[in-house]
Amino acid sequence: MADVIETVVNEHAGDSSSDWNLESLWNDLKAIYPVGLEISEVLAEAGTRARLTKKFLVSELVSDARVAYTKRVDTIGAEAMRELERRVVLSVVDRKWREHLYEMDYLKEGIGLRAMAQRDPLVEYQREGYVMFQQMTGAIREESIMYLFNLEVQVASAPEPEPEELTYSAPSEEGTPEVTHESKEKKGGHTPGSSFFKS
């Protein structure tokens, strides 16, 4: 969460805090997680807009995101949250990694054109591939956080297990197969490994 928030803040925050578009920053953050802070609250905490720093802004927003995360865990339950985290991260990593491999194939096909611009194709391939990999990891983090906060989750109670049916077969006196079905609950201590013959 901290990495994602810091990246979003850096995209909107320039050198001077007076030039920052805080409304646009808040809109982008709201797409990622339910922001509980108001811009006016952050400015009041900092004192003045001129005294607002990136470090302070990131710190306030990360604290707010942690509060929102705790509320999310309380709402759906800790066990369900762990399962949601596993599923979301696996799904996002799988999709983004496949996209990255396709993009690397396109890059490989067109990298020969760099030689026409007097550049070493191998060096360019490594440099551009690294940039694309960094973009992929950033996108994985951002999308994972976004889904964790915004996916609708319905926690269903586990259904009652159905009683198992056990099937035993043995040859009858005439030599034909004879099959018997019996409920495991009804039989009690009978185990599937024990022999059961109907005489």
Side-chain angles (χ1 to χ4, degrees), residues 5-97:
I5 289 169
E6 189 172 358
T7 301
V8 175
V9 169
N10 287 334
E11 286 171 2
H12 290 80
D15 295 328
S16 172
S17 59
S18 57
D19 299 334
W20 296 356
N21 186 347
L22 294 177
E23 288 77 15
S24 176
L25 169 61
W26 248 248
N27 286 337
D28 284 358
L29 286 171
K30 283 176 183 174
I32 297 170
Y33 84 99
V35 183
L37 283 173
E38 294 296 328
I39 297 172
S40 56
E41 292 174 333
V42 175
L43 292 174
E45 190 75 27
T48 63
R49 192 179 182 106
R51 293 176 63 187
L52 186 63
T53 63
K54 282 186 195 177
K55 188 176 180 182
F56 175 78
L57 186 56
V58 168
S59 172
E60 290 293 305
L61 290 167
V62 167
S63 296
D64 181 54
R66 288 195 175 124
V67 169
Y69 178 82
T70 304
K71 285 181 185 172
R72 179 80 163 155
V73 173
D74 291 342
T75 303
I76 68 172
E79 194 175 321
M81 191 65 176
R82 297 295 86 76
E83 182 64 23
L84 178 64
E85 287 168 349
R86 279 192 291 273
R87 288 178 182 233
V88 162
V89 171
L90 282 171
S91 173
V92 173
V93 167
D94 178 58
R95 186 164 39 80
K96 288 293 179 187
W97 181 247

Side-chain angles (χ1 to χ4, degrees), residues 103-116:
E103 287 170 3
M104 290 300 288
D105 283 342
Y106 294 140
L107 176 63
K108 195 191 305 181
E109 288 171 13
I111 203 70
L113 300 173
R114 306 300 192 281
M116 296 169 67

Side-chain angles (χ1 to χ4, degrees), residues 163-166 168 180-192 194-197:
E164 282 187 48
E165 288 286 323
L166 301 176
Y168 306 97
T180 306
H181 299 281
E182 190 153 333
S183 171
K184 203 173 189 179
E185 286 182 351
K186 196 175 179 186
K187 190 65 186 163
H190 187 74
T191 59
S194 61
S195 59
F196 176 77
F197 297 98

